[in-house]
């Protein structure tokens, strides 16, 4: 059994892009991953961490942040400890990047139900298709479990209904590949924390690029350089043209 753990970043009203990203690996490798990830969380200096949440890692003064009171140096040192854990146990990384303003131009208020106004819906199924393509390309025949971070503002019943329709109309690469998706809390499920790390850094990299800064000089570059392996990982941008094509297809 292969399992994909997937999380999102960027739906905060400030980010120019929405990112849905995650990792694919075998059940056995995820078990070893979780043991090592927990060991990094439990490192004693300056304190142990109950979980990793990237939004917390960059809010060192926020009262609710598990990194509250840490120095930037201590934070960076701890974050870098997580990178080799990902590299040792994860087989593939995947990400969908959606420019939010372009998505609004082609989707907001134009489709029913209202969930289509948000980029999560399109990203959800685009990422499933991307995972299918990666898995089939490397010759896996196993079923793939899809586990997403809990979304409080998304209807699970709606997505389950749409997932059934997606599987009926899915490309051959996805036929019979996926089990029914699940949603779990990333505070409890350790592989989802790695997915959060990937999604956050890709979003930050895009943020720097869109705002005219060199992403290679940004804080996220050192992490992406160590948790993304080009031969195995795929980052797919739904640009203006692709979003228009997707909207046109949905109108048919």
């Amino acid at each position: 059994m292969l399992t994909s753990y997937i999380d999102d970043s960027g739906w905060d009203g400030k980010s120019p892009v929405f990112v849905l990203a995650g990792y694919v690996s075998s059940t056995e490798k995820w078990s070893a991953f979780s043991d090592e990830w927990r060991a990094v969380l439990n490192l004693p200096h300056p304190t142990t961490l109950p979980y990793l949440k990237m939004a917390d890692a960059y809010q060192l003064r926020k009262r609710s942040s598990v990194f509250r009171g840490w120095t930037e140096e201590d934070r960076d040192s701890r974050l870098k400890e997580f990178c080799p854990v990902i590299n040792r146990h994860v087989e593939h990384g995947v990400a969908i990047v959606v420019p939010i303003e372009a998505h609004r131009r082609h989707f907001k208020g134009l489709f029913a139900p209202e969930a289509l106004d948000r980029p999560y819906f399109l990203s959800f199924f685009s990422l499933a298709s991307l995972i299918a393509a990666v898995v089939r390309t490397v010759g896996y025949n196993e079923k793939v479990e899809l586990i997403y971070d809990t979304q409080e503002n998304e209807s699970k019943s709606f997505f389950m209904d749409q997932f059934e329709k997606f599987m009926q109309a899915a490309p051959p690469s996805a036929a019979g590949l996926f089990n029914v998706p699940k949603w779990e809390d990333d505070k409890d499920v350790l592989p989802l924390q790695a997915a959060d790390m990937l999604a956050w850094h890709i979003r930050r990299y895009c943020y720097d690029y869109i705002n005219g800064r060199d992403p290679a000089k940004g804080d996220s570059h050192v992490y992406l350089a160590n948790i993304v392996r080009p031969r195995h990982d795929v980052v797919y941008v739904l640009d203006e043209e692709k979003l228009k094509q997707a909207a046109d297809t949905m109108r048919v």
Side-chain angles (χ1 to χ4, degrees):
M1 174 74 72
L2 294 171
T3 305
S4 301
Y5 290 93
I6 302 158
D7 205 349
D8 66 281
S9 182
W11 195 238
D12 57 1
K14 300 175 183 178
S15 175
V17 297
F18 176 82
V19 177
L20 193 64
Y23 289 113
V24 183
S25 204
S26 66
T27 302
E28 294 78 10
K29 288 186 177 181
W30 279 128
S31 177
F33 163 92
S34 295
D35 290 341
E36 289 192 31
W37 192 269
R38 175 60 68 188
V40 176
L41 290 173
N42 287 337
L43 291 174
H45 178 78
T47 61
T48 62
L49 293 169
Y51 54 82
L52 175 64
K53 189 78 172 175
M54 290 303 302
D56 282 358
Y58 284 83
Q59 298 184 81
L60 302 180
R61 297 181 181 179
K62 187 176 180 180
R63 186 179 300 274
S64 61
S65 171
V66 296
F67 285 85
R68 186 169 186 260
W70 287 44
T71 66
E72 291 185 2
E73 291 76 14
D74 284 338
R75 175 202 61 202
D76 294 346
S77 177
R78 182 68 65 91
L79 291 180
K80 290 173 184 175
E81 293 281 350
F82 289 104
C83 295
V85 180
I86 294 173
N87 287 327
R88 278 193 289 271
H89 302 292
V90 165
E91 297 181 36
H92 305 285
V94 289
I96 296 291
V97 179
V98 182
I100 291 175
E101 285 303 319
H103 182 275
R104 284 176 178 150
R105 283 194 290 274
H106 295 288
F107 283 87
K108 187 171 178 59
L110 300 176
F111 295 94
E114 192 177 281
L116 294 173
D117 286 358
R118 299 185 292 277
Y120 186 85
F121 177 88
L122 182 61
S123 302
F124 182 97
F125 294 105
S126 297
L127 194 68
S129 297
L130 187 58
I131 291 170
V134 169
V135 167
R136 295 304 194 200
T137 297
V138 297
Y140 289 119
N141 293 313
E142 296 96 330
K143 283 272 192 176
V144 178
E145 194 89 30
L146 297 173
I147 300 180
Y148 293 82
D149 182 33
T150 299
Q151 299 293 316
E152 299 299 334
N153 62 336
E154 305 292 352
S155 167
K156 304 303 182 295
S157 60
F158 168 72
F159 276 98
M160 294 304 292
D161 177 64
Q162 295 301 312
F163 186 78
E164 291 181 9
K165 295 177 181 178
F166 166 76
M167 291 306 298
Q168 292 170 6
S173 62
L177 181 65
F178 297 114
N179 287 329
V180 175
K182 298 177 182 178
W183 282 265
E184 304 286 352
D185 191 335
D186 64 356
K187 291 182 180 179
D188 302 321
V189 179
L190 302 185
L192 284 173
Q193 296 173 24
D196 171 75
M197 188 177 195
L198 178 63
W200 196 95
H201 281 302
I202 290 175
R203 179 194 62 77
R204 183 67 198 189
Y205 190 94
C206 293
Y207 180 89
D208 286 342
Y209 178 80
I210 290 170
N211 284 282
R213 293 189 286 270
D214 182 357
K217 297 179 180 178
D219 292 339
S220 288
H221 181 69
V222 65
Y223 299 103
L224 287 176
N226 286 282
I227 62 176
V228 173
R229 296 174 295 170
R231 288 188 302 162
H232 301 277
D233 301 342
V234 181
V235 178
Y236 190 76
V237 179
L238 290 172
D239 59 19
E240 185 93 31
E241 181 179 352
K242 294 184 180 72
L243 288 168
K244 182 180 183 303
Q245 290 174 352
D248 289 344
T249 298
M250 294 177 69
R251 290 189 185 95
V252 175

